[in-house]
Every structure is written in C-alpha cells, then in structure tokens.
C-alpha cells in the first residue's frame, strides 16, 4: 500500500516558481500512475498534471500547460511538480495521488486515484 507525503508548498508572489515533491512509501512505487491535483476553497479537486509509471506519458490541465512540469524519479520513490510563472489563481491545496493498483496507463480522472497525500498549501499573491 502506497503512502504519500507532499512537500514544497509555500507563499510566493505572482511570477514566481515552486517545486512540489511527493515521497511515496512502498517498494512498488514505479508500477503506479501518479498525479498532482489541486483544490481551491469552494471548488472541486481537479487534476493539474499526471504521469504514467515510466514517465513516458504526461498530462497537463490547460490551466497549467506551458507553466508546469511533472516528473518522477522511481529510484527515489518521488514525483515532482515544477510550477513556474505562478498566478494568483494557482492558489490551492495541492495533493499528490496514486492509483490503487499498478497500471501502465496514464490516469487523469480524480476518481481513478485511490491513494492521496494530505496536501500542501500553495499561495500566490499578486
């Protein structure tokens, strides 16, 4: 069973950058699809980026495309989200998520992620 712990959130000014990290426990991390989701107050939790088990396939929501990069290092059981040119509308709690079972597909729908971290707050001021 995969357990996830996010880090790297914080407060930045618009135009700044942050790199979120998600450390996963478990020896089979490399077999799970991963994603980063975010939830702003009063809004649904949406996928902002996703990556398949190998890192060969990635997905970005239109809202972050061109400004964010998802990557993973299976030797370190870690998935990253590099966010650049941050905007106030990026303010949210960011969650790392993994599928419940090993898969070689790219997962982009929130209900298909069965394991979640507790989240890390990202606040972007104008």
């Amino acid at each position: 069973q995969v357990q996830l712990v996010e880090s790297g959130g914080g407060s930045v000014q618009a135009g700044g950058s942050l790199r979120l990290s998600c450390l996963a426990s478990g020896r089979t991390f490399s077999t799970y699809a991963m994603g980063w989701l975010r939830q702003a107050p009063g809004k649904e939790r949406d996928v902002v980026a996703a990556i398949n088990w190998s890192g060969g396939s990635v997905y970005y929501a239109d809202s972050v495309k061109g400004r964010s990069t998802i990557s993973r290092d299976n030797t370190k059981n870690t998935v990253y989200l590099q966010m650049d040119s941050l905007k106030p509308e990026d303010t949210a709690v960011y969650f790392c998520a993994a599928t419940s079972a090993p898969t070689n597909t790219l997962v982009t729908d929130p209900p298909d992620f069965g394991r979640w971290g507790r989240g890390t707050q990202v606040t972007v001021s104008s």
Side-chain angles (χ1 to χ4, degrees):
Q1 186 171 348
V2 175
Q3 293 185 329
L4 308 170
V5 179
E6 303 95 337
S7 62
S11 298
V12 297
Q13 291 190 328
S17 298
L18 284 173
R19 188 173 86 151
L20 307 183
S21 299
C22 173
L23 178 63
S25 64
R27 294 176 295 176
T28 59
F29 168 78
S30 63
T31 64
Y32 293 83
M34 303 292 296
W36 285 98
L37 295 85
R38 70 185 182 188
Q39 188 168 22
K43 296 189 176 181
E44 295 183 350
R45 191 175 298 187
D46 294 324
V47 175
V48 294
I51 190 167
N52 75 331
W53 69 276
S54 69
S57 294
V58 296
Y59 161 86
Y60 298 100
D62 288 342
S63 58
V64 302
K65 195 175 295 182
R67 302 187 295 119
S68 296
T69 303
I70 188 171
S71 61
R72 66 190 295 165
D73 185 341
N74 288 340
T75 67
K76 297 181 179 180
N77 279 17
T78 302
V79 63
Y80 305 97
L81 182 66
Q82 175 70 40
M83 300 189 295
D84 301 313
S85 302
L86 283 162
K87 304 176 181 180
E89 51 263 44
D90 293 318
T91 295
V93 178
Y94 284 71
F95 298 89
C96 175
T99 51
S100 296
T103 178
N104 60 3
T105 62
L106 184 63
V107 175
T108 63
D109 198 7
D112 292 332
F113 291 103
R115 298 285 181 265
W116 300 81
R118 293 188 174 185
T120 185
Q121 177 70 45
V122 171
T123 302
V124 185
S125 58
S126 57

